[in-house]
Amino acid sequence: MVYEGKTKIVRIVGDHALIEFKDDITAGDGLKHDVILNKGSICAEITAILMNFLSEKGIKTHLVEFLPPNILKTVPLKMFPLEVVVRLKKAGSFVKRYGGVEGEELPFPLVEFFIKDDERHDPMVCFDHLEILGISTKKQAEEMKEISIKATLVLKEFFEKGDFELWDIKYEFGLSKDGQIILGDEISPDTFRLRKKGEIFDKDVYRRNLGDPMKKYEEVLELCRSLSSQ
Ligand code: TMP
Ligand code: ASP
């Protein structure tokens, strides 16, 4: 069984799902698209380091093993078609929707749920929508929210050791065979906003045409390698 998305290919092999990270980078629900050498291997390794760190802190992830250069061996999950965004600072679609200034601190971690549906531009939903649409129960949504906040605070602290600020981050979850909610997908500069003294170290470099995104992604990889070995 094979599933191919915009940036990954998933193959079920025996008891595992092998997730291959492609060199593709997209924005605007796939409208902007490029292929950048080594992007897949960089995002795969960053994901592996951060998911290892999260599991050390008691947060269950799908990661079993990093198979260099660009494959993660994972526990197969039945994915919820959801993006769970946690925001610590205002940016991106928050500012577009509600106003305010990029980088302004939020009083507490804000959690937003979006349905993965490019054609409808990933509509934002509340727990009632999730239950009515049969996507998840309210109890499952509560659990995803709780895990997302916990993971974000762990990662915020991780990056703070390198003087980097985590502004926001997106998670995806699935159910394992035994019915547990597990953090899946990836955690990389594609899926978080990371800043240091106003400098951008995430996909906003690409979204806003601010130069070569891979220079920044490589720096994030080096940072993750050095912080995880401390
Ligand atoms: P947003 O401000 O565009 O809603 O993005 C919030 C965070 O979620 C940001 O770190 C980027 C990440 N994200 C994804 O990983 N995938 C997506 O499709 C979108 C829209 C955002
Ligand atoms: N819309 C998403 C982003 O900008 C990803 C994509 O469209 O492929 O992060």
Side-chain angles (χ1 to χ4, degrees):
M1 217 189 75
V2 181
Y3 165 79
E4 179 158 4
K6 286 179 287 187
T7 60
K8 291 186 268 321
I9 302 173
V10 182
R11 295 185 180 84
I12 303 299
V13 179
D15 290 337
H16 293 106
L18 299 186
I19 304 180
E20 178 185 332
F21 285 63
K22 305 196 287 186
D23 283 342
D24 298 64
I25 184 165
T26 70
D29 301 324
L31 270 182
K32 186 168 152 79
H33 173 226
D34 286 278
V35 176
I36 309 179
L37 191 67
N38 294 330
K39 192 246 178 191
S41 62
I42 292 170
C43 288
E45 187 174 347
I46 293 171
T47 299
I49 291 172
L50 295 177
M51 286 196 172
N52 265 325
F53 187 73
L54 287 175
S55 66
E56 279 168 22
K57 300 288 175 184
I59 294 166
K60 290 187 194 109
T61 80
H62 66 160
L63 180 68
V64 175
E65 194 186 358
F66 172 42
L67 304 175
N70 67 333
I71 291 175
L72 301 185
K73 183 172 167 182
T74 68
V75 173
L77 299 176
K78 190 166 180 284
M79 297 304 289
F80 294 99
L82 287 175
E83 302 196 340
V84 184
V85 170
V86 183
R87 301 179 191 277
L88 302 173
K89 301 218 179 198
K90 296 178 189 176
S93 71
F94 179 94
V95 171
K96 264 197 208 134
R97 216 173 257 118
Y98 306 107
V101 176
E102 290 246 339
E104 242 170 33
E105 186 100 17
L106 290 160
F108 54 86
L110 170 64
V111 184
E112 297 172 340
F113 282 68
F114 299 88
I115 297 175
K116 278 172 75 84
D117 182 345
D118 280 344
E119 270 177 37
R120 293 192 167 82
H121 303 292
D122 294 351
M124 193 199 280
V125 286
C126 68
F127 290 5
D128 284 345
H129 289 110
L130 295 178
E131 184 108 37
I132 283 170
L133 295 169
I135 291 175
S136 80
T137 64
K138 285 186 192 172
K139 192 163 164 271
Q140 287 170 328
E142 278 295 351
E143 193 177 336
M144 288 186 255
K145 176 175 171 176
E146 202 177 297
I147 301 169
S148 298
I149 293 172
K150 198 173 163 200
T152 302
L153 297 179
V154 166
L155 293 172
K156 172 184 190 275
E157 218 171 281
F158 177 87
F159 286 119
E160 267 170 4
K161 280 185 258 154
D163 287 324
F164 282 74
E165 292 172 9
L166 182 66
W167 282 17
D168 58 30
I169 184 161
K170 184 268 300 179
Y171 303 102
E172 296 187 23
F173 293 91
L175 285 177
S176 62
K177 241 186 351 199
D178 57 356
Q180 287 190 77
I181 292 183
I182 308 278
L183 179 58
D185 196 56
E186 69 173 303
I187 306 178
S188 77
D190 273 12
T191 67
F192 53 61
R193 287 195 171 91
L194 189 68
R195 306 295 155 95
K196 184 174 190 170
K197 297 187 186 95
E199 199 177 337
I200 302 175
F201 289 87
D202 53 67
K203 200 163 88 174
D204 274 353
V205 174
Y206 176 74
R207 294 188 188 99
R208 301 190 198 164
N209 298 311
L210 299 174
D212 177 6
M214 276 319 101
K215 286 206 184 101
K216 303 301 185 72
Y217 280 46
E218 273 162 19
E219 280 192 58
V220 175
L221 174 56
E222 282 311 320
L223 172 74
C224 289
R225 281 180 179 156
S226 86
L227 291 175
S228 66
S229 65
Q230 278 176 18

